[in-house]
Amino acid sequence: MQNQTGNNPLENNPDLNQESLAALEEESALIEEISEEFKKGYKLYNFRRPDKFSKEHLRALQDIHRDFVRQLALTLTAYLRMDVEMDIISVDQLTYDEYVCSMPSHFQNGIFKLNPLSGEISLGLSSDVLTVILDRMLGGDGSNHDYNRDLTQIEEALTKKIIEKIIKTLENSWCSVLPVKAEFTSLDNGYHVVPITTSGEIVALISFEIRLGSKNFGLINLCFPYPVLETVLQKLTPQYIFQHTNIVSNEIGRNEILAKINSAPLDLSVILGTTKILINDVLELKEGDVIKLDQKIDEKLYVLINNKKKFVAIPGRKEGKVCVKIAQRYIPKE
């Protein structure tokens, strides 16, 4: 029986063996390089759960609702007359079916719209939050009774009222992206009653932790289906929100200042004319005396605001009373 080892050309030719090893190493290095380039240019895509929101979109949503958290905590503190604190727990994207399956059944689900955005949005309130709020609204001390049952008609009406306050605050927070008008649609017990989108649709889920008083903690969820935010995705960037917020803040600040000073009282007077008179003549003035002024009856008069000339007016009469008609703004001579 012959030895097959001697038939191996690589063993009989050391130079050929070295060349083959070098070629294999070079080919292996080339495969690794191609593999790295492939990893850089491509990524795995899950068709059952596609990523429709980028990290930048989710970061922008977090920025918007960070302001919402701050405003809502102040609103609820004043309304409930108890200490309220809120924090954002997470901003994620998942399918609507995953969202519904992950939520407890005892959540109260408020459905609303942010016009002109198309589609409905879900606001979830855990029973830990809602029972404390309802107890406080009904005159209690804000105790958590921890009951899972259908709401009474009175409790349902109060729940709608508090949800309207929450979505009104959300409306103000979204003004940094675009002007929206919140519209309450319905209130349901749980998420299975009225689906706001199809089961496989991607949604942006924003979860908040809220503390009511010193020991009551609960959750609030906001669920935005992708079709609702699709038309404003180009605006959901931290850069756009930062720049637009300054513009909106300046406009809001201007309107607030105007609203405050509109009711401020001002002294308005009209100069009918002037003259010079001696003190002795003033002391001798009596009823019926006539003081001659330097202003003719057909000349324009000056209107003073807080003793400063602001307008030029024309004298006249209306319904038997002396009056003036504003003709133009007063322009000081240089």
XYZ file of all heavy atoms in Angstrom, residues 96 109 187-195:
91
model
N -48.001 49.526 16.985
C -49.171 49.818 17.819
C -49.635 48.576 18.567
O -50.090 48.662 19.708
C -50.302 50.368 16.947
C -51.519 50.771 17.750
C -51.476 51.861 18.608
C -52.703 50.052 17.658
C -52.580 52.235 19.354
C -53.820 50.414 18.395
C -53.752 51.507 19.240
O -54.851 51.865 19.986
N -57.976 55.735 28.622
C -57.409 56.123 27.336
C -58.205 57.284 26.751
O -59.357 57.114 26.342
C -57.441 54.918 26.385
C -56.754 55.206 25.068
O -55.884 56.058 24.995
N -57.150 54.497 24.026
N -63.288 59.154 25.393
C -62.646 58.594 26.581
C -63.051 57.126 26.681
O -64.236 56.789 26.641
C -63.085 59.348 27.842
C -62.564 58.810 29.178
C -61.053 58.979 29.265
C -63.246 59.527 30.345
N -62.053 56.242 26.804
C -62.322 54.805 26.849
C -61.505 54.163 27.957
O -60.435 54.655 28.333
C -61.963 54.143 25.514
C -62.695 54.785 24.348
O -63.924 54.655 24.292
O -62.031 55.434 23.517
N -62.027 53.042 28.456
C -61.326 52.270 29.476
C -60.452 51.227 28.790
O -60.937 50.210 28.316
C -62.336 51.600 30.413
C -61.643 50.874 31.552
O -60.437 51.029 31.763
N -62.389 50.082 32.294
N -59.153 51.476 28.707
C -58.231 50.562 28.043
C -57.972 50.977 26.609
O -58.586 51.900 26.071
N -57.042 50.265 25.959
C -56.599 50.615 24.616
C -57.229 49.736 23.538
O -57.003 49.954 22.357
C -55.073 50.492 24.524
C -54.345 51.451 25.420
C -53.973 51.094 26.716
C -54.037 52.730 24.996
C -53.312 51.980 27.549
C -53.383 53.633 25.817
C -53.020 53.244 27.091
O -52.380 54.131 27.910
N -58.001 48.730 23.927
C -58.545 47.789 22.960
C -59.881 48.253 22.390
O -60.365 47.684 21.426
C -58.727 46.405 23.606
C -57.458 45.862 24.190
N -56.559 45.128 23.454
C -56.922 45.965 25.440
C -55.540 44.781 24.222
N -55.736 45.275 25.431
N -60.491 49.257 22.999
C -61.845 49.650 22.610
C -61.847 50.388 21.277
O -62.545 50.001 20.340
C -62.497 50.522 23.706
C -63.923 50.887 23.310
C -62.473 49.791 25.044
N -61.077 51.470 21.190
C -61.035 52.283 19.977
C -59.585 52.374 19.501
O -58.814 53.204 19.993
C -61.606 53.699 20.227
C -61.583 54.512 18.940
C -63.014 53.619 20.778
N -59.174 51.529 18.541
C -57.802 51.625 18.031
C -57.621 52.898 17.217
O -58.491 53.264 16.426
C -57.665 50.373 17.148
C -59.064 50.017 16.768
C -59.937 50.434 17.914
